[in-house]
């Protein structure tokens, strides 16, 4: 029995797929749209205190974006002598900052906290290995007086591939990220909200002793600095 819902049979013509050309291809979700949606979500209040932020929603936005190098080439800056460069994409005044990180082959960050902020990381090129550690100072992991003499314990380790999104906060633990590829750079997008590490500072940790050092203000390179122009 024929019904109007029966599939229409489309003759197949080599090199001309009628079904595809009839369906409208949705425009890709761009990095600029992602940044605009993040700004919209943080609104007037969001990002001031990390409890105001719906991190699951921000993660879903980051997942929606598919890396397109032509979106982020303008922020890309690699310095082979450095482990990684931190390049500013958007500084949402005291609410958040969005950065493009370029990781030298085989290099990574020190073990660090995130200054009480939410950190969302998306891989835009290559792969990144993230090692998460228990924070000796959190959740009574070790006695308070032993926190800076007790080796850090690994909680998990994962290699994130192109377009994967990772989330961390101090309640989850500390982490270090590195580019496992010995020959090629890796690139990632990072969202920090609130931008405490940039505005105040954060801590780096020694894996073997658990002791920490305060780092005043995480710096990001602006376009002007990269071009050698004094802003
Ligand atoms: N949180 C680090 C990068 S990472 O290792 O996640 C930074 O912003 O420098
Ligand atoms: Fe980090």
């Amino acid at each position: 029995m024929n019904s109007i819902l029966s599939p229409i049979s489309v003759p197949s013509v080599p090199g001309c797929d009628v079904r595809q050309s009839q369906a409208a291809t949705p425009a890709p979700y761009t990095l600029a749209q992602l940044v605009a949606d993040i700004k919209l979500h943080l609104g007037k209040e969001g990002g001031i205190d990390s409890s105001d932020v719906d991190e699951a929603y921000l993660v879903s936005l980051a997942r929606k974006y598919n890396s397109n190098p032509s979106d982020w080439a303008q922020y890309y800056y690699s310095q082979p002598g450095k482990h990684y460069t931190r390049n500013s994409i958007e500084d949402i005044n005291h609410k958040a900052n969005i950065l493009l990180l370029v990781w030298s082959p085989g290099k990574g960050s020190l073990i660090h906290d995130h200054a009480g902020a939410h950190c969302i990381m998306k891989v835009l090129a290559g792969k990144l290995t993230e090692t998460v550690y228990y924070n000796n100072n959190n959740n009574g992991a070790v006695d308070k007086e032993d926190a800076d003499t007790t080796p850090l314990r690994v909680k998990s380790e994962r290699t994130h591939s192109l377009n994967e999104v990772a989330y961390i906060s101090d309640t989850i633990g500390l982490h270090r990220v590195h580019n496992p590829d010995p020959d090629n750079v890796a690139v990632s997008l990072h969202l920090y909200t609130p931008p405490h590490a940039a505005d105040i500072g954060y801590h780096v940790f020694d894996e073997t002793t658990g002791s920490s050092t305060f780092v005043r203000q995480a710096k990001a390179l602006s376009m002007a600095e990269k071009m050698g122009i004094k802003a």
Side-chain angles (χ1 to χ4, degrees):
M1 194 168 77
N2 270 342
S3 116
I4 53 163
L5 294 178
S6 326
I8 300 161
S9 104
V10 178
S12 143
V13 181
C16 173
D17 188 338
V18 178
R19 285 157 303 182
Q20 249 178 35
S21 61
Q22 277 173 348
T25 318
Y29 184 64
T30 64
L31 180 60
Q33 285 171 309
L34 172 62
V35 170
D37 283 348
I38 292 167
K39 281 178 141 174
L40 198 65
H41 177 67
L42 295 176
K44 286 194 167 44
E45 309 303 329
I48 301 299
D49 183 297
S50 52
S51 60
D52 294 338
V53 175
D54 181 353
E55 66 273 21
Y57 177 68
L58 291 174
V59 166
S60 76
L61 288 180
R63 286 212 173 102
K64 189 169 150 188
Y65 174 65
N66 276 316
S67 177
N68 178 354
S70 62
D71 285 347
W72 46 261
Q74 60 184 303
Y75 308 107
Y76 179 94
Y77 180 67
S78 131
Q79 251 185 322
K82 287 190 91 172
H83 283 215
Y84 64 104
T85 60
R86 307 177 81 249
N87 308 283
S88 179
I89 295 179
E90 188 84 25
D91 192 352
I92 311 172
N93 203 15
H94 301 300
K95 290 178 188 291
N97 50 39
I98 305 173
L99 304 170
L100 187 89
L101 268 53
V102 180
W103 304 82
S104 297
K107 302 293 190 212
S109 53
L110 297 170
I111 302 172
H112 57 275
D113 67 14
H114 292 85
H118 300 280
C119 162
I120 293 168
M121 169 175 97
K122 181 183 180 83
V123 179
L124 298 183
K127 285 181 194 260
L128 285 170
T129 301
E130 179 189 28
T131 312
V132 178
Y133 297 83
Y134 291 98
N135 184 345
N136 284 352
N137 293 296
N138 264 358
N139 314 322
V142 299
D143 289 340
K144 214 172 167 23
E145 59 272 25
D146 298 331
D148 58 1
T149 52
T150 306
L152 297 176
R153 273 194 311 130
V154 172
K155 187 175 177 183
S156 62
E157 183 163 280
R158 249 199 91 170
T159 298
H160 305 288
S161 301
L162 180 65
N163 284 316
E164 280 186 3
V165 176
Y167 169 81
I168 193 163
S169 68
D170 294 349
T171 40
I172 293 174
L174 311 169
H175 78 175
R176 108 171 255 271
V177 171
H178 78 276
N179 174 4
D181 190 320
D183 302 311
N184 300 294
V185 297
V187 180
S188 53
L189 178 77
H190 291 238
L191 164 66
Y192 300 103
T193 181
H196 289 330
D199 287 351
I200 308 162
Y202 63 105
H203 296 88
V204 293
F205 293 76
D206 182 315
E207 184 172 7
T208 54
T209 64
S211 63
S212 64
T213 310
F214 181 68
V215 180
R216 226 181 139 79
Q217 296 172 326
K219 296 253 188 300
L221 290 165
S222 67
M223 197 66 79
E225 283 163 327
K226 282 183 271 186
M227 295 176 76
I229 300 161
K230 272 209 159 156

